[in-house]
Amino acid sequence: MRRLHEGGRIDRSQRIEFTFDSKALTGYRGDTLASALLANGIGLVGRSFKYHRPRGIYSAGPEEPNALVTMGTAGRREPNLPATTVELADGLVAESQNRWPSLKFDIQSVNGLFAPFLSAGFYYKTFMGPTRRAWMFYEHFIRNAAGLGRAGEEPDPDRYEVRNLFADVAVIGAGPAGLSAALAAGEAGARVVIVEQDFLAGGTLLSKPADGQASAWLSGTLARLASMPNVSVMTRTTVFGVYDSNVLGLVERHGSGTIDPEIGSARQMVALLRARTIVYATGSIERPLTFDNNDRPGIMLASAARIYLNRFAVLAGTRVVVATDNDSAYPSAFDLAAAGVEINIVDSRAEPMPVLLEQSRRLGIAVRRKSLISNASGGQAVRAVTVSEPGGTVTLECDLVVVSGGWSPTVHLTSHLCERPVYREDIDAFVPGKLRAGHFAAGAVTGGFITAGAIEEGRRVGTEAATFCGATNFAQPSFSLNLAEINAGNNDSRHAHLFGAAKDGSPSRRPEHPLSRRSAERWFGNRKAGLPKDKAFIDLQMDVTVGDIVLAHREGYESVEHLKRYTTLGMGTDQGKTSNFRALSAMAGLRGMTVPEIGTTTFRPPYTPVAVGALAGRSQRHHYKPFRRTPMHDWHVANGAQMLETGVWMRPWFYFASGRNVDEAYLAEMRMVREAAGLMDISTLGKIDVQGPDAAEFLDRVYVNAFSKLPIGRARYGVMLRDDGIVFDDGTTTRLGERHFFMTTSTAKGPDVLSRLEFLLDTAWPDLRVSVTSVTDEWAAMSVAGPKSRDILAAAFTNLDVSNKALPHMGQLEANYRNRPLRIIRLSFSGERAYEIYAGASVGKEVWCRLIEAGVPFGLKPYGVEALGALRVEKGHVAGPEIDGRTTLDDLGLSRIAGKRNGYVGAVLGRREALSDPARPRLVGLQCVEPGKRLSGGAILFRPGEPMQGHGLGRITSVTYSPTLDAWVGLGLFARNAAEEGSDMVATHPIKGETVRARIVSPMFLDSKGERLHG
Amino acid sequence: MLRIECPNCGPRDHDEFRYGGDASVVRPVHDDADFEAWYRYVFVRENPAGPHREYWQHVMGCRQWLVVGRDTRNHEIAAVRSAREPRA
Amino acid sequence: MRGYSAISILRNGLAGQRYWPRAWRAPDPKPVYDVVIVGGGGHGLATAFYLAENHGIRNVAVLEKGYVGGGNVGRNTTVIRSNYLLDGNTQFYEFSMKLWEGMSQALNFNVMFSQRGMLITAHSADQLDGFGHRASIMRLNGIDADILDRHEVRELVPYLDFSETARSPIHGAILQGRAGTARHDAVAWGYARAADAHGVDIIQSCEVTGFVRDGERIVGVETTKGKIGAGKVGLAVAGHTSVLGQKAGLELPIESHVLQAFVTEPVKPLVHQIVAHGTEHFYVSQSDKGGLVFGGGIDGYNSYAQRGNLAMVREVAEAAVALMPCISRVRILRHWGGVMDMTPDASPIICLTPVDGLYLNGGWCYGGFKATPASGWCFAHTIATGQPHPLSAAYSLDRFRTGRTIDEGGVGPFAWLQ
Amino acid sequence: MADGSNIPGFEMAAYDCAIVQFEGWDGAMAQFEAELKRMLGGPLPNKVGDTARYDDGLVVRIAPRRFWLLCEGPPPIIDVDAELGCALPLGEGRIRLRVSGRGLRHVLERCVAVDWEALGDGRAVQTGLHRTPVLLLRRSGVECDLLVPRSFSKGLAEWIADASAACT
């Protein structure tokens, strides 16, 4: 292995320092990690998944099954990166994986010795004893042995972005077909995005000598595309998935040591590209050949060897055996020969094309026909191969074996929308199935393996795609192609396969048996035979051998999916890009069926693995989801509130002014409200403006109780049900005018209620002339509650008459504050005299401060949600813990407000038989009757003496210590037929280890006559 | 990602919308007391593997409830109309 | 059935794997069976196994339109738990858990049931109280459950986000130590092999296209392999229950929705339990192969396509990083979708049907895998005796009529929100 | 699409934003629009997303039967015939974020799924920004207004600023 002194697409003026397994190495700008390793003479780069066999570099692209490395450290540690896709960068640190203590000497390679017992699925048949939990013991070791690279446990310090893109034509792949499609569509005036995963555009053109005509066409086309404002060429960008409605998932990466301004400071950026049409120009992937020890370092795909030679100027070996069953390996052989290495071609066919034989002879290459490699020798690097040919077997010494088993079109993306690929006999491969309207394919992915053909096809579909989008400008291309030249004229021997293939329009390969003829005889000839000692690999990454497939078949795991799942074939990070087809045809052979008969597995996104963080983008940490803040938020923070997340809202939980912790504070805040007054920020309540000629009728239908009789200037508590009769939400609605109402909902349900109201108006009752609009953000809302609340209100708004006469309980008045709206509604959640003050959000904080100031002489202070919740429990008001989506109006003791009404949402199904089952729990009050003990929310209720098991007769939903009663009290749901007021129950909370006697009482613990509210 | 062509706002990602379920079921009039009618409206679903008429609300846009004709096998959308337009 | 054991592994290893028999036969369908189970997924195969094992009914066929285990049993995230709150669910899923604990031995097939424990994070004091109630209910029903505070959670899973910048700080968690994961394919194969050993015919690539009636009674099925007679027919085709149910004239409260699942590239052991986000759609475990397996919520619109949308992929990824910042650099290898039967209360249906001779098992929503053994056990009982099993009696079809729904989430009759 | 340049000159400012919402009843739209035209003294936008400029503000059609009158100063008092429709002042609940700069496109593509290039000057789009409903008004190729709910405004401003930081 060595770097050539000239040629290739690397920049020899820019040396790059990097390390592999702590060894300092150098490469050039334009290298991949793989090409740089080869240039440094490093052939052994990893250990295999199961048997820990030494592995080298097998390919030159994202299909790489072997050369996986880990890059970075700590939070930046990233395992399992194919060295073939890593762009070499200064200071790059890579290490090999799945080996200990070292790559050259790996303890676990002993697994190879136990190979006979570690056949496919062996673990399903053992590890089942001696005890039932024995598996957990064995599993520990299996887990540690598995898993390739190690991920970091520290947070990823890097930044990710997600952006939205739009285009008329999205071209996937910047090879000859894609480039020419983009050119045609661009010239037609369409908005084009062409996406290439590599850091260079060109695709297969890059594997041809950098001085050929193909390269001329490439540079010309790229220049032309760069000059078009309506075309964007995105390199280093992978289309990882194609989703419904032509949405493509892209992941963009930075160049080596450069910052792409489109991506900015992010490490990677996911782009969601919404395209009107898609052109698949994804090319094809070469297939391996199967023979014993076909995984030895130094064995690689023929196309890869050619890429390393022509693109990276790296000669991967000096004594080369080329094994093939088709023409496409010959150009690799010819280019290698031109580089002056000794070459043997082992061709399984009887009659390769004469022109190839002719050219081979001219270059002094020995071609062995009807020959197959049966075995490779060498441990950490291939030393020789055994070739069986008509005359017998010969051994060829070598340091590089390049193989070609034909080509598999890269149909992955075309099948993400579940259009299954279809088999084409003539090329023995799967090509895209029927594509949706507006989807096109061109080039090798369609099974045409000729550069010139791909360029022509690309131009055609590019034009079709543009037309599909309504693009009109089809002027003759200003930049014309010389197809004859690209077609690599007869005189250009290096493109003989193109020229030759062009004869019959498809690569002239007649598929041999999917496995080598020898293995066919050996394994399929005699089904009863045992499996061989040596390993012939089908899936190099998952260590799946021919033997495993034979065994799967023998045990009846013969459907393609069973094969995959039983042997783990194709489950690796490469998703079996090089192995799937081989395995299919092997199983087909075993079952005596054709490949299309046994079918193919589904290709799933992503095409290549995508970092979870890239998909999350900036929605991380405190940016994960936006907060909602009330107009008084800053005041709370500045005045010692402990803030609390409730859904998207931030609310004050309690104020440190009231106590050192929540338990102290909420009691102090309760006392304050009961004895003087407190101020609470209730801006988070959902608020909906309801108006129109039919508004009252509308409310009569959505609430269980009637609103049409509600006088103007009055408020009413209302409950809404779901269609199934379960309680949906509660709140108050105030009548502002004949046709105008102001509705409030719970904080949590606001958006759902509005959407439901709109649903009913748009779909069920379009005849009702009603407008509903969220005004949640319009109003800052605060509740001043307590005996002193009226005095405080009067002091704060001296111009307003808030006397009991002017503003009785459930009364409302409209005013304004500095030309901003001000609305006061006398409502109480706490049971005390209380007023809800709604002020224009822009002056909310001002009004709040004004109330605080006016309240000082009366002992007014703010209180938080903890105290609010406790106050409502004392008053017996239901809330979230009781309205849990399973309770009915009657469960909550609210059936009286509906009375005998009908015609409201949920009325009919609310009367289902089981909803009035006497054993159904109903709201009760509970009071702790054991001194020194407390009640706990979530405790389960039993009759005294009853065994405490099962689900009990009910549960405690909310509790608080009641300063008023000097006792722990709570609300609960308890079986109707057992709920006698005054009877004692046992409340048990096994988790807290509490069991306490509680008496069933009225839920209204204080002021049952409501005297505090009135007057 | 679905792209739904809102008749008012144009094509948008489906996460701008709120799903509302089967639009082929008929809601009884508000004061209909027929249990069977309400039971079927709320619970019984044809759930076809194929063309499906369903409600979506464009909550991030015009807030209109729409009726979308979509194939549940391949997610292709055939038609979108405002829910207030009479049924086709 | 030749037994699987360390010994048989050794013997076959030395013999070049020569003597392994088929795991199950590939018989042609007989003209008539006592019971025909439609659906060769986990539930159908388990039902067939328990019909033979518990009720001695061996003249049974399982008809599968594709390959066994090709449905949701082969595409789920393998979480097994019994941390349910409501009467009906609690006992059923705990019974299932007990069957899991002996499954490998009962089937002589290692389903790799690994009781690694599952914890669900709480992100508010109220949620932690709710978990306390659930854990109490579990304990009172003989199910292991614990509540962890923030520090105990941190001890157990230090890689979660305990930083100041966390969007929703972790207050604690509910833990069920006996919860775990299993190798999903192995469950289908294990039941298939064990049922086959009892004489059950497992017939793959055999799609049921209709039902054969004698008057009102169903006496067989039309299939792509011809007519097959049956004394009783059991449907176990969750995901496609509506499609077949309608052929039989059933009106069902079921919608089909897609639930996505994700697996990352294999990495060395990182996640040792099942960890679920308490308020967002994300839960994760690590397979024995090393891949992080995670899932989220359903895509949210009716679908029979076994693939999900990118918006939900991103939502799950966001929740994943929010809970577990170190997952950011781990790369997703594959994501796919399964078709769920969603019911109006997110609880399943195991029952006799209004149609004589037809029995129904479906509506598993996203909870079907963990229920596989209990579902098969109870459905077999229902078919064999013509009576609902006490443990599954609550899963009747008429509960929506009567109001005896079992709505763990309290979401209501909106399948796409369940 | 790529201009390859870094992105200086990104600015964002927040203002209060007076809005009056007008809604006409289904079946009375023709009369309602005629009435509203008369009261506003100018033509009304035809399609959702269209805008019409008035001396004292801008009228945006935000739904088939809904218009928003965006006022620079205090909103006018306009009474609508209750048989034709209704009016609702929304002057308190939204904040107008004015964002501008050469990097605007890059910032917006990180914030909203809107095809900025296909959007004409003066057009309005209602869409989602970080899961929040917003109204985007394109003023020019390098300037737009975002009308965002007041309770989200601080969070969204941070989100947008963060996006601009990411692409400079």
Side-chain angles (χ1 to χ4, degrees), chain A residues 517-532:
Chain A
R517 198 175 288 117
R518 173 166 168 272
S519 36
E521 286 155 7
R522 213 167 95 197
W523 294 314
F524 307 152
N526 173 4
R527 297 277 295 278
K528 275 266 146 280
L531 300 182

Side-chain angles (χ1 to χ4, degrees), chain D residues 140-165:
Chain D
S140 76
V142 293
E143 183 173 75
C144 72
D145 285 353
L146 286 161
L147 274 57
V148 306
R150 182 181 288 267
S151 58
F152 283 105
S153 56
K154 187 163 182 286
L156 292 185
E158 287 169 2
W159 178 253
I160 295 165
D162 186 61
S164 70

